[in-house]
Amino acid sequence: MRRTLFEDDHEAFRDSFRKFVQAEIVPHHDEWEQAGIVPRELFATAGRSGFLGIEIPEEFGGGGVRDFRFNAVMDEELMGCGAAAAGLGLSLHNDICLPYFMAYCNDEQRARWLPGIASGELITAIAMTEPGIGSDLASMTTTAIRDGDHYVVNGAKTFITNGINSDLVITAVKTDPAEKHKGMSLVVLERGMEGFERGRNLDKLGQHAQDTAELSFTDVRVPVANLLGEQEGQGFAQLVGNLPQERLSIGYAAVASARYALGLTLEYVKERKAFGTPIGSFQNSRFVLAELDTEIDIAQHYVDACVRALDAGELTAADASKAKYWCTELQGRVVDRCVQLFGGYGYMTEYPIARAFADARITRIYGGTTEIMKEVIGRSLGL
């Protein structure tokens, strides 16, 4: 069934971004996998090329276009070349962090931060998760206690994507530790603030080119001018308001990653022979691949509909949770069955399907686990 999500402008943008990916990411991806991090220059190059901050107003160096379809194109192209890990930082910067700056910055903050976000000179991250609390954000213990014109921030965060490279970290804190949800606020911590330390670049199962770090805060003095929103206590509502786009971004990328894995496998089974016959000609192979192709197409049309709903301001938390839950679970099923069709070679890390398998496992966890997504959906049913 033909897709109708994209228009000519999006396809022209795809052409440009595909060339960027082939020139600036693909040749270096193995090197970055070994290093465990992409160079900061990747963000600056992407910024100079017009691939960061597409919705940032032109006066601040952005594209001035609010249209998530451009983000979707980038996610598809990054997944389509097997650069899930290297591209995750760019997606986080555009899809997940930028909306907070666009929605909650005042005029002074916009002038201070948006030009650097658009140019790639200021790399962004968001710090919610703490050791031991998982998705239970209301139980966080990182505090920001007001002292005159500053907050004094103490605590720790973990599993922070862009944790090493980031310059601006949207940090969930308790400005009123006596409260749960109502005590949460978002403040922006900046590179170089005294007492703001980065721990080790975490050694992960997959997504090796993506820097994921622990962050610690010891009496970090953060200007009150770095509070996002008009007043304290809005943090939980701000997070809830932006989670649908975050979860759609993850689900959308999961579909693109599944399609990439399917493409690798189709190519392989047409060439690989067993008993003198291409393994793709066996009935089992045809049935498996037919099932995967069908499921991917169905998921694609759902996330395309979600993109339209997002741009229309109509994407609900439940629908975004369905996209995230179903599509990341689908991604896991697809890469697992594709590895099986590769046989022993699928277990070898020199084959891209093995990397896709390892990279896929986290998507059912970050951005809210599958179990949390089901809880959101279940509550939307009045249960």
Side-chain angles (χ1 to χ4, degrees):
M1 188 181 298
R2 187 175 69 88
R3 295 175 68 191
T4 59
L5 180 63
F6 300 115
E7 299 173 7
D8 290 346
D9 286 350
H10 304 108
E11 296 303 341
F13 181 81
R14 184 191 302 277
D15 250 7
S16 298
F17 188 64
R18 181 176 293 166
K19 290 173 184 174
F20 172 85
V21 169
Q22 292 300 320
E24 303 294 341
I25 295 179
V26 172
H28 310 293
H29 197 241
D30 287 343
E31 173 191 344
W32 297 342
E33 286 273 302
Q34 293 297 318
I37 192 169
V38 303
R40 288 177 55 87
E41 180 60 24
L42 175 63
F43 289 83
T45 305
R48 287 193 298 270
S49 303
F51 300 127
L52 298 182
I54 295 166
E55 68 173 292
I56 290 175
E58 292 182 11
E59 64 183 293
F60 298 123
V65 178
R66 181 172 172 75
D67 183 345
F68 192 78
R69 289 177 292 180
F70 289 104
N71 302 55
V73 165
M74 292 180 64
D75 291 340
E76 284 186 353
E77 293 304 313
L78 289 166
M79 296 303 107
C81 73
L88 182 58
L90 297 175
S91 295
L92 180 97
H93 187 82
N94 279 331
D95 298 5
I96 296 170
C97 294
L98 179 58
Y100 289 91
F101 291 96
M102 294 298 296
Y104 307 123
C105 278
N106 57 36
D107 290 344
E108 183 275 330
Q109 292 169 333
R110 287 161 71 88
R112 180 153 49 110
W113 290 325
L114 291 185
I117 293 173
S119 70
E121 294 172 19
L122 295 178
I123 299 170
T124 59
I126 184 164
M128 291 186 276
T129 303
E130 295 183 2
I133 69 165
S135 298
D136 183 15
L137 295 180
S139 296
M140 71 174 60
T141 58
T142 297
T143 57
I145 305 303
R146 183 148 184 180
D147 180 23
D149 292 333
H150 288 79
Y151 293 110
V152 179
V153 178
N154 284 281
K157 301 290 182 179
T158 194
F159 308 141
I160 308 307
T161 304
N162 282 355
I164 301 295
N165 274 333
S166 55
D167 302 285
L168 304 176
V169 182
I170 303 162
T171 308
V173 297
K174 284 287 186 70
T175 43
D176 184 351
E179 294 284 351
K180 284 203 153 216
H181 299 92
K182 293 180 180 178
M184 292 173 57
S185 301
L186 299 181
V187 296
V188 177
L189 273 70
E190 301 183 58
R191 176 181 291 277
M193 287 180 167
E194 187 175 353
F196 173 16
E197 302 291 340
R198 300 164 203 264
R200 59 198 175 98
N201 190 358
L202 299 172
D203 186 12
K204 307 183 296 294
L205 170 68
Q207 303 281 4
H208 292 148
Q210 174 57 58
D211 57 311
T212 305
E214 300 166 321
L215 307 179
S216 65
F217 319 115
T218 306
D219 294 332
V220 184
R221 294 187 66 80
V222 181
V224 170
N226 282 24
L227 174 72
L228 288 180
E230 297 176 356
Q231 60 188 29
E232 296 175 5
Q234 297 179 329
F236 187 76
Q238 291 166 335
L239 292 169
V240 168
N242 279 287
L243 280 173
Q245 177 164 316
E246 174 178 348
R247 288 167 176 168
L248 172 58
S249 173
I250 295 169
Y252 197 95
V255 177
S257 177
R259 193 176 296 282
Y260 165 72
L262 177 63
L264 290 176
T265 308
L266 284 170
E267 184 178 339
Y268 180 79
V269 299
K270 291 174 183 176
E271 297 176 355
R272 175 71 173 169
K273 292 185 177 181
F275 309 106
T277 305
I279 60 175
S281 66
F282 299 152
Q283 186 184 63
N284 177 71
S285 301
R286 290 199 305 273
F287 280 11
V288 167
L289 294 166
E291 290 169 11
L292 299 184
D293 187 54
T294 300
E295 288 191 68
I296 291 169
D297 273 356
I298 291 170
Q300 186 71 72
H301 286 284
Y302 183 77
V303 293
D304 284 359
C306 286
V307 169
R308 292 190 185 93
L310 176 68
D311 282 340
E314 299 171 354
L315 182 65
T316 67
D319 286 343
S321 295
K322 291 174 185 178
K324 203 272 181 185
Y325 142 54
W326 181 262
C327 296
T328 57
E329 292 287 341
L330 170 64
Q331 178 189 15
R333 291 195 304 275
V334 169
V335 293
D336 183 73
R337 298 184 80 179
C338 287
V339 165
Q340 189 72 16
L341 288 172
F342 269 81
Y345 291 103
Y347 201 64
M348 302 297 108
T349 56
E350 66 191 85
Y351 279 73
I353 193 64
R355 179 183 294 167
F357 180 85
D359 287 349
R361 188 59 188 88
I362 188 58
T363 65
R364 285 169 272 173
I365 298 173
Y366 64 26
T369 64
T370 291
E371 292 73 23
I372 293 293
M373 297 303 96
K374 291 179 180 180
E375 184 69 20
V376 173
I377 298 162
R379 289 182 181 181
S380 77
L381 301 175
L383 302 174

